């Protein structure tokens, strides 16, 4: 269920800005055709990627439904012109026995504010400063105890360090950098992947038929097949049916495609992989594999077919997500599962990574203490000090 703060509680949010500035903030849903305007700005922004699109925002509404979320997203207005989009959702976040509120999307972070590309560099710095001031004001008013934001443009821009440093220092965030597995798609990519992946492809791919589902081919049956397979793979259903519909909409409306592996002998769907695709860059979105086909290395087969498709479409890069910390650090304990995922990703990325920038801030002492206590428990267990 979607909970929206009352207009009475939020009526001052759009008018509390410095009257000397031409900048103001307007609730995202207060403008005519706001979803089209949102997408127009994301399309134009250098920072805008899959995390920012209107379809992805709608997916987060559905996926986070059980967390009783508040949508406080807003447009940054320069006089009467909408020049920026700031995605902002506040939702329940359990930490141990503590139940707090966090400013984040379903995936655990908010995407960085986005602005039109025709703005002067100096103006951009002013806009980002304004956006983060307004974002924190809204998050605090909604009762959030924690904010986490990530800067992940479709391609590296070269100014990320400077921008993150400026915002973190001025607004008292802590900043972290880490790696994402990301590799360039070239004609020789498949000949250079790890030997075991090539062997799996030779041995098992003849057992399956592979197809691409996108646009009108993403039928209700495809949507339901993915839902059932994902639930089976995960050992339970942890988000709403509607969130799978919203996920399928990525592929229906040009922001993704499914790769489907079907066993020739039985006709059963063995695995499905959803690849997000936007601004000539691809992201490993979501995968579901029937446990009955675990020994057939279906994950490798799906990834091989994805690379073939990306080559065909002329896509430049394919991103596989976080490179999990290995070995562990005092603040991040890696699990054997995460290290195994790293091995899979490295088979394809072959050492190629990109830097990702994350900032976070605690607004509540209780939230911070719960975070520290949970970290303390993890370290005690890791060092065998129980």
């Amino acid at each position: 269920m979607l909970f929206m703060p009352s207009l009475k509680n939020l009526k001052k949010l759009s008018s509390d800005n410095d009257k000397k500035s031409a900048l103001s903030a307007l609730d995202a849903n207060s403008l005519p055709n706001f979803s089209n305007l949102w997408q127009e700005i994301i399309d134009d922004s250098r920072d805008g990627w899959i995390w920012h699109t209107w379809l992805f925002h709608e997916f987060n509404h559905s996926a986070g439904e059980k967390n009783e979320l508040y949508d406080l997203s807003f447009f940054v207005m320069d006089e009467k012109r909408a020049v920026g989009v700031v995605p902002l959702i506040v939702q329940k976040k359990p930490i141990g026995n503590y139940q707090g509120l966090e400013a984040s999307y379903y995936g655990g972070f908010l995407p960085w504010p986005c602005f039109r590309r025709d703005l002067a560099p100096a103006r951009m710095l002013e806009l980002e400063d304004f956006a983060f001031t307004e974002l924190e004001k809204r998050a605090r008013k909604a009762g959030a105890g924690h904010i986490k934001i990530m800067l992940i443009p479709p391609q590296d821009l070269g100014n990320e360090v400077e921008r993150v440093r400026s915002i973190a220092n001025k607004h008292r965030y802590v900043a972290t950098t880490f790696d994402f597995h990301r590799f360039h798609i070239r004609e020789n990519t498949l000949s250079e992947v790890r030997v075991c992946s090539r062997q799996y492809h030779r041995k098992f791919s003849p057992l399956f038929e592979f197809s691409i589902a996108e646009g009108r081919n993403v039928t209700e049956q495809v949507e339901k097949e993915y839902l059932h397979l994902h639930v089976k793979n995960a050992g339970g259903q942890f988000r709403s049916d509607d969130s799978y519909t919203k996920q399928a909409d990525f592929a229906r409306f040009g922001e993704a495609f499914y790769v489907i592996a079907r066993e020739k002998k039985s006709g059963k769907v063995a695995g499905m992989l959803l690849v997000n695709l936007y601004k000539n860059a691809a992201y490993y979105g979501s995968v579901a594999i029937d446990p009955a086909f675990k020994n057939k290395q279906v994950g490798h087969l799906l990834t091989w077919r994805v690379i073939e498709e990306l080559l065909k479409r002329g896509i430049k890069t394919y991103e596989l997500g976080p490179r999990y910390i290995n070995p562990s650090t005092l603040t991040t304990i890696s699990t054997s599962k995460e290290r195994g995922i790293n091995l899979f990703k490295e088979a394809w990325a072959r050492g190629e990574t990109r830097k990702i920038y994350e900032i976070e801030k605690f607004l509540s002492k209780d939230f911070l203490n719960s975070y520290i206590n949970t970290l303390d428990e993890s370290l005690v267990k890791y060092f065998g000090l129980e």
Side-chain angles (χ1 to χ4, degrees), residues 30-49:
S30 67
L31 294 176
N33 300 314
F34 62 90
S35 60
N36 292 335
L37 178 60
W38 177 301
Q39 190 60 45
E40 174 191 315
I41 294 172
I42 301 308
D43 288 343
D44 189 47
S45 171
R46 291 183 176 88
D47 289 324
W49 199 26

Side-chain angles (χ1 to χ4, degrees), residues 122-176:
R123 189 59 166 166
M124 283 289 292
L125 293 176
E126 182 183 358
L127 288 165
E128 285 196 331
D129 179 43
F130 174 87
F132 277 92
T133 298
E134 182 72 19
L135 185 154
E136 182 176 335
K137 185 192 303 181
R138 290 173 175 243
R140 283 186 182 277
K141 199 169 187 70
H146 184 238
I147 303 172
K148 182 181 285 188
I149 303 171
M150 290 177 67
L151 177 58
I152 319 176
Q155 303 295 340
D156 299 329
L157 302 173
N159 62 359
E160 289 87 350
V161 172
E162 176 187 354
R163 293 164 63 197
V164 169
R165 182 186 294 125
S166 174
I167 292 298
N169 289 338
K170 186 165 185 177
H171 296 269
R172 299 181 69 85
Y173 283 83
V174 293
T176 307

Side-chain angles (χ1 to χ4, degrees), residues 130-347:
F130 174 87
F132 277 92
T133 298
E134 182 72 19
L135 185 154
E136 182 176 335
K137 185 192 303 181
R138 290 173 175 243
R140 283 186 182 277
K141 199 169 187 70
H146 184 238
I147 303 172
K148 182 181 285 188
I149 303 171
M150 290 177 67
L151 177 58
I152 319 176
Q155 303 295 340
D156 299 329
L157 302 173
N159 62 359
E160 289 87 350
V161 172
E162 176 187 354
R163 293 164 63 197
V164 169
R165 182 186 294 125
S166 174
I167 292 298
N169 289 338
K170 186 165 185 177
H171 296 269
R172 299 181 69 85
Y173 283 83
V174 293
T176 307
T177 63
F178 52 95
D179 292 333
F180 265 34
H181 293 278
R182 192 275 306 273
F183 60 98
H184 289 78
I185 304 297
R186 305 181 179 92
E187 289 296 330
N188 61 349
T189 293
L190 289 173
S191 64
E192 293 184 347
V193 300
R194 190 172 288 160
V195 172
C196 64
S197 297
R198 285 180 269 153
Q199 291 174 337
Y200 294 150
H201 182 259
R202 285 195 297 270
K203 183 176 181 180
F204 296 115
S205 63
L207 305 179
F208 299 91
E209 291 181 343
F210 299 90
S211 60
I212 303 294
E214 59 184 331
R216 294 182 179 179
N217 291 330
V218 183
T219 61
E220 185 176 352
Q221 181 183 351
V222 170
E223 177 187 322
K224 297 301 182 184
E225 281 181 334
Y226 187 78
L227 189 161
H228 295 146
L229 200 59
H230 196 263
V231 169
K232 189 175 184 180
N233 191 180
Q237 184 169 347
F238 304 104
R239 51 186 172 88
S240 66
D241 286 6
D242 185 62
S243 71
Y244 288 91
T245 299
K246 293 295 191 290
Q247 204 168 31
D249 284 346
F250 297 157
R252 289 187 175 109
F253 299 112
E255 291 184 15
F257 61 83
Y258 288 99
V259 176
I260 304 171
R262 191 180 298 273
E263 188 185 38
K264 293 178 180 178
K265 182 179 180 180
S266 65
K268 293 181 178 180
V269 175
M272 297 175 68
L273 174 57
L274 180 70
V275 179
N276 294 92
L277 192 61
Y278 183 52
K279 293 187 176 179
N280 206 34
Y283 188 85
Y284 184 100
S286 183
V287 67
I289 297 172
D290 189 328
F293 294 92
K294 179 181 178 180
N295 296 328
K296 297 295 191 296
Q297 303 297 333
V298 175
H300 285 269
L301 304 183
L302 289 169
T303 305
W304 187 287
R305 181 65 186 87
V306 167
I307 294 173
E308 289 180 332
E309 188 65 21
L310 296 179
L311 273 169
K312 178 182 175 181
R313 298 177 184 225
I315 304 303
K316 293 181 179 179
T317 57
Y318 187 32
E319 203 148 322
L320 301 178
R323 181 180 182 273
Y324 293 107
I325 298 297
N326 185 20
S328 298
T329 68
L330 280 175
T331 56
T332 307
I333 305 300
S334 63
T335 65
S336 58
K337 179 180 179 180
E338 289 172 341
R339 292 191 288 273
I341 293 172
N342 269 353
L343 286 174
F344 172 83
K345 293 177 178 178
E346 179 57 28

Side-chain angles (χ1 to χ4, degrees), residues 4 21 66 86 92 164-165 256 320 342:
M4 293 294 293
S21 174
K66 66 178 182 180
V86 184
K92 285 184 177 179
V164 169
R165 182 186 294 125
L320 301 178
N342 269 353

